[in-house]
Structures are given as structure tokens and as C-alpha cells.
């Protein structure tokens, strides 16, 4: 896919506090590759989080159902509207790019900062998910997932989001940083990261629910169906709590979040128990020796087929983790809003502390899948010297499915830049899409 149009993309550097960084020359155009290098330099030299914000034309085709909608009165939408208005007054490039009022804003969080938020907040998608995950429409190469238009990025200096933080952080404004005006926009960055991470976690929840539903239709296991129902029933309380916090309200008992957290923690406890049993079963397999399929399926029921209890247990664990990550983000936002002076520091501190446990669980499950995929299946024991064609086919099919368990699994994730995309309509309302690795 190619696009010969030359698109001018304004780009701002946003800080969460007054910091000094290497200065940029406003109006000096750069390529996408040069912009990526700049992000790395800013992340390496700055003591506080510094992100970049790009503004693109709003594509005709966007799946808004994937994101979290916020009306024009929400804090994030208001901070973004204030930022757009101030930028348009101080920069002709920004004024032209945002004149229609309908744009796609792309905030990129450097890998260094993304790592501070916990490795599990944003996970790389499966290889072909980049095409379906992007929202740039005609601007994205559907094969590579990268921008296809010949965009020229133009740094915009001296733009400041005016107004108070509304309980989410310090007043935004311009800070002198290395001789260049740097926009201090802690509330805008905080709210964008929070909503993008929440949308990402909910996207993972939707995927897990779809997989579990399909597996349970084959398995017909009532107890596992009850586990699924209890977890999926937590969504309503989490959605309400998300809406309240993003409108800077206070969480109350009437929202039902406490009971939802109890159900999620119970599911996580079950997942940890299953993980311990899986590890013990694998530890019992002599190193370098083949294992019989019958022995393997006792500890991992259904591992040799498309469905089975083992695969359902994996998806239930993924669902519990996705729901817990949404709750963790809510708790981090609540803490940050309680201390307007340093919201991003509180936010990252809360996320790092609470994400560690979830990261360990996911890494443990990934390690089990990798170990399983490396096992060699032994020939079944029996008196007959020759096996039937169906027995051979079953063994080969089982070996293939077991080896596929490790496909695409990464035990230790390398931190990458993270993009949070926000579609803004003419009335000021926004839709924040799931945060994605760049």
C-alpha cells in the first residue's frame, strides 16, 4: 500500500512537570524516523516523563466500538480542547491542522516511561493484530501496520494547555526547557494513559470472553461456566467506576466495585493454584525423556485437542488478569487525583506496585506453555508391535497442538514505545482507543 500525499503533522513535546531537555527548533520539519530517535533522546535525558503528541486528519473508517467514549465535559476532553485552542492561537501549522475540529491525536509514550507503568499494562499483540488494531485507516499500511503516507513532522513550540488541572494534576503551561518552550501537561498525559490502558485491558477481556465461550460450548463444564459468569459479571461495576473516576468523582460502595474485586481476586487465586500444579507436573517429567500422552493429559486435560479444561483454565486466567488490570488503573487514577501536585509520579508508583503480582502470574503461565511445547511425546505402551493409523494420527496431531502452545509466547517482554490514539469530534467529545505498542 502506498500513499503519495505529503501530509504535514504537527508534533508537540509534553512534559508532566518543569524539566530541562535538549531544545527543538519549532517549525523545523523531520521524518518519522528522526522523530522516533528524538523520543529516545528525550526519554534518556529527561528526569520526568516526556511524551510526544501528533495530530492527524480523522480517517473516514474508524471502529469506535473498540475504544472508550468520553463526552466533551469529561476532564480528558476538556484538557485536549484547551490544548488545541491554545496551540491554534500560537501556531499557524497547528491552527490549519486542527481547523476542522475533527482529528486523530496520537500520544506516544517512550519505552523507558512505558516500562515504569508495569510490563503488563501494554503487551505486544499477535503478529497479525497490528493491522486490525490500528485506527489510522488509509494512513496505515495494512501489512506492516506502519504509517504509509509521506508525513512530515513539524515540532510546535510555545503551545500551552491553559486552565486548571481540575484535580488531576498541576496547571498546564509553558516551561523553559533547554531554551525551548516545553508544554507542561500532566493532566492530559495522565488521563490519556489511564484511559488508553483501561481500553487496552478491556480489549483483552473481550478476547478472553470470546475464547472461553467457544471452549465451553465444546466442553460443557458447568463449574467453569460459573467461573466465567462470575468474572464477566464484574464488568458492569468496573465500567461504572471507570466512568465516575474519569469524571473525577469519588468511588462509593454502591458501585459494587468491592464485590467485583473480590470475585476477581478469587479467580486469580484459582489461577495461581492451577499454575503451581502445572509447574509441579512438569517438574515431575525427567529431563530429556519423552512423556506419554495419557500421562500428560492427566495433569493437562484436553491439552491434545482444540478445547479442553486446560485451555479454558488459561483463558479464565487471562480474563481475571485483564479485569484486575482495569481495577489497578482505576486505583492508580484515584491515588493520583488525590494528590494534584504530582499525579504522574503517584500514578506510575501505584501501577508498578500492583502490576508486579500480575506480571509474575502471566510470566509463570507463559513459562509453562513454553515448557509444554518443548516436550517430546512417547509412543504409547502396549503389547502390540504395530499401531493403527488412527493411533498414529492422534499422536501426531497431539504433538503438533502441544508444540503450538509455545508459538508467539514471550516470557520476558522488551519494553517498547506505546501509542495512545484519541479521536476528537467537532463537538469536543473523544474516543480513546486501546494503547498499542509502536
Amino acid at each position: 500500500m502506498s500513499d503519495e500525499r505529503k501530509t504535514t503533522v504537527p508534533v508537540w513535546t509534553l512534559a508532566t512537570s518543569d524539566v530541562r531537555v535538549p531544545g527543538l527548533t519549532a517549525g523545523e520539519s523531520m521524518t518519522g524516523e528522526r522523530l522516533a530517535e528524538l523520543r529516545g533522546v528525550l526519554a534518556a535525558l529527561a528526569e520526568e516523563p516526556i511524551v510526544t503528541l501528533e495530530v492527524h486528519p480523522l480517517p473516514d473508517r474508524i471502529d469506535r466500538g473498540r475504544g472508550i467514549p468520553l463526552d466533551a465535559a469529561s476532564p480528558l476532553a476538556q484538557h485536549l480542547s484547551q490544548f488545541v485552542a491554545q496551540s491554534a492561537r500560537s501556531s499557524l501549522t497547528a491552527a490549519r491542522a486542527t481547523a476542522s475540529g475533527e482529528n486523530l491525536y496520537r500520544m506516544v509514550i517512550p519505552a523507558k516511561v512505558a516500562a515504569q507503568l508495569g510490563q503488563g499494562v501494554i503487551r505486544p499483540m499477535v503478529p497479525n493484530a497490528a493491522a486490525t488494531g490500528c485506527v489510522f485507516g488509509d494512513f496505515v499500511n495494512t501489512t506492516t501496520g506502519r504509517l504509509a503516507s509521506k508525513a512530515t513532522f513539524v515540532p510546535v513550540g510555545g503551545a500551552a494547555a491553559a486552565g486548571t488541572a481540575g484535580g488531576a494534576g498541576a496547571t498546564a503551561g509553558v516551561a523553559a526547557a533547554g531554551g525551548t518552550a516545553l508544554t507542561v501537561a500532566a493532566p492530559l498525559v495522565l488521563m490519556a494513559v489511564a484511559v488508553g490502558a483501561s481500553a487496552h485491558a478491556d480489549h483483552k477481556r473481550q478476547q478472553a470472553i470470546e475464547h472461553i465461550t467457544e471452549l465451553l460450548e465444546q466442553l460443557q463444564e458447568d463449574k467453569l461456566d460459573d467461573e466465567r459468569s462470575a468474572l464477566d459479571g464484574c464488568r458492569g461495576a468496573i465500567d461504572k467506576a471507570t466512568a465516575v473516576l474519569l469524571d473525577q468523582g469519588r468511588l462509593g460502595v454502591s458501585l459494587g466495585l468491592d464485590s467485583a474485586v473480590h470475585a476477581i481476586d478469587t479467580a486469580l487465586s484459582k489461577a495461581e493454584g492451577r499454575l503451581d500444579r502445572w509447574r509441579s507436573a512438569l517438574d515431575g517429567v525427567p529431563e530429556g525423556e519423552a512423556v506419554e500422552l495419557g500421562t500428560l493429559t492427566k495433569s493437562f486435560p484436553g491439552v491434545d485437542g482444540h478445547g479442553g479444561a486446560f485451555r479454558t483454565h488459561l483463558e479464565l486466567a487471562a480474563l481475571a488478569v485483564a479485569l484486575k488490570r482495569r481495577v489497578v488503573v482505576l486505583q492508580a487514577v484515584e491515588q493520583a487525583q488525590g494528590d494534584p501536585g504530582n499525579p504522574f509520579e503517584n500514578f506510575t508508583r501505584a501501577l508498578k506496585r500492583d502490576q508486579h503480582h500480575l506480571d509474575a502470574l502471566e510470566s509463570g503461565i507463559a513459562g509453562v506453555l513454553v515448557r509444554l511445547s518443548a516436550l517430546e511425546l512417547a509412543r504409547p505402551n502396549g503389547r502390540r508391535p504395530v499401531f493403527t493409523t488412527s493411533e498414529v494420527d492422534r499422536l501426531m496431531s497431539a504433538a503438533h497442538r502441544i508444540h503450538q502452545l509455545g508459538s508467539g509466547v514471550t516470557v520476558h517482554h522488551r519494553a517498547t514505545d506505546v501509542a495512545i490514539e484519541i479521536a476528537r469530534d467537532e463537538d469536543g467529545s473523544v474516543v480513546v482507543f486501546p494503547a498499542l505498542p509502536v
Side-chain angles (χ1 to χ4, degrees):
M1 175 178 175
S2 63
D3 190 339
E4 299 301 324
R5 293 174 294 179
K6 195 76 168 179
T7 306
T8 300
V9 177
V11 56
W12 295 266
T13 49
L14 308 182
T16 57
S17 64
D18 188 351
V19 293
R20 288 190 171 275
V21 295
L24 300 176
T25 303
E28 179 181 314
S29 62
M30 64 176 70
T31 63
E33 289 76 10
R34 179 73 182 90
L35 179 60
E37 293 175 0
L38 170 66
R39 292 192 194 104
V41 171
L42 293 176
L45 299 182
E47 296 179 356
E48 299 294 335
I50 293 180
V51 305
T52 57
L53 181 68
E54 310 160 15
V55 55
H56 298 260
L58 189 65
D60 295 331
R61 299 188 301 276
I62 290 185
D63 181 8
R64 294 173 181 266
R66 296 187 308 106
I68 294 179
L70 300 172
D71 62 34
S74 65
L76 174 58
Q78 288 185 343
H79 290 312
L80 185 57
S81 294
Q82 292 166 2
F83 181 86
V84 170
Q86 291 289 338
S87 299
R89 284 197 289 268
S90 60
S91 167
L92 181 59
T93 300
R96 288 172 175 170
T98 60
S100 68
E102 298 182 335
N103 293 99
L104 185 68
Y105 293 84
R106 189 172 197 250
M107 183 180 291
V108 179
I109 316 295
K112 174 184 174 182
V113 179
Q116 296 174 2
L117 304 180
Q119 69 169 5
V121 175
I122 311 298
R123 285 293 180 92
M125 297 295 185
V126 292
N128 62 351
T132 58
C134 293
V135 296
F136 274 112
D138 293 337
F139 289 91
V140 166
N141 184 313
T142 56
T143 301
T144 65
R146 301 184 65 180
L147 285 174
S149 62
K150 298 183 181 300
T152 298
F153 296 88
V154 180
V156 179
T164 62
T171 301
V174 172
T180 297
L182 183 70
T183 305
V184 181
L188 180 58
V189 175
L190 168 67
M191 299 303 285
V193 171
V195 185
S198 185
H200 176 85
D202 193 58
H203 179 64
K204 302 298 288 184
R205 178 200 65 81
Q206 293 176 25
Q207 289 182 323
I209 280 292
E210 291 171 1
H211 294 158
I212 294 170
T213 301
E214 182 180 348
L215 291 170
L216 287 176
E217 287 176 353
Q218 304 173 27
L219 194 58
Q220 296 181 344
E221 175 61 60
D222 291 339
K223 289 184 178 180
L224 295 181
D225 190 43
D226 290 341
E227 284 189 44
R228 186 272 309 267
S229 298
L231 280 174
D232 201 33
C234 299
R235 181 190 175 190
I238 294 175
D239 285 348
K240 292 187 184 76
T242 302
V244 169
L245 269 184
L246 294 181
D247 285 336
Q248 294 181 348
R250 292 292 178 183
L251 298 182
V253 178
S254 62
L255 292 175
L257 191 59
D258 288 347
S259 58
V261 170
H262 174 72
I264 295 168
D265 287 343
T266 299
L268 288 173
S269 178
K270 290 181 179 180
E272 290 168 348
R274 287 162 181 160
L275 175 59
D276 289 340
R277 291 195 294 273
W278 295 337
R279 282 172 165 166
S280 296
L282 288 172
D283 290 342
V285 177
E287 187 175 353
E289 292 188 16
V291 58
E292 287 190 22
L293 182 59
T295 302
L296 196 61
T297 54
K298 288 180 181 178
S299 300
F300 304 91
V303 70
D304 56 329
H306 288 294
F310 173 64
R311 295 175 193 269
T312 306
H313 289 158
L314 291 176
E315 294 298 339
L316 284 169
L319 175 58
V321 168
L323 289 169
K324 185 65 174 182
R325 289 202 189 280
R326 284 200 71 184
V327 171
V328 167
V329 171
L330 292 179
Q331 293 169 337
V333 172
E334 188 175 28
Q335 287 192 33
Q337 291 182 162
D339 184 1
N342 58 348
F344 207 86
E345 288 184 6
N346 283 344
F347 183 70
T348 54
R349 191 181 302 117
L351 280 183
K352 283 182 67 175
R353 182 181 62 249
D354 294 332
Q355 294 285 354
H356 178 73
H357 182 70
L358 297 176
D359 294 341
L361 175 59
E362 286 194 317
S363 295
I365 292 175
V368 165
L369 294 178
V370 170
R371 292 176 67 183
L372 270 174
S373 67
L375 292 178
E376 179 184 353
L377 293 183
R379 289 162 54 100
N381 288 328
R383 297 180 179 179
R384 291 177 299 149
V386 179
F387 297 98
T388 66
T389 302
S390 62
E391 289 174 326
V392 173
D393 288 345
R394 186 196 173 207
L395 187 63
M396 293 181 64
S397 177
H400 174 72
R401 291 196 179 104
I402 292 171
H403 291 160
Q404 285 293 106
L405 288 172
S407 178
V409 173
T410 305
V411 179
H412 301 289
H413 294 270
R414 182 178 61 87
T416 63
D417 291 354
V418 171
I420 299 170
E421 293 163 348
I422 306 170
R424 182 177 184 268
D425 292 322
E426 192 173 1
D427 63 359
S429 61
V430 298
V431 176
V432 185
F433 296 94
L436 293 171
V438 175

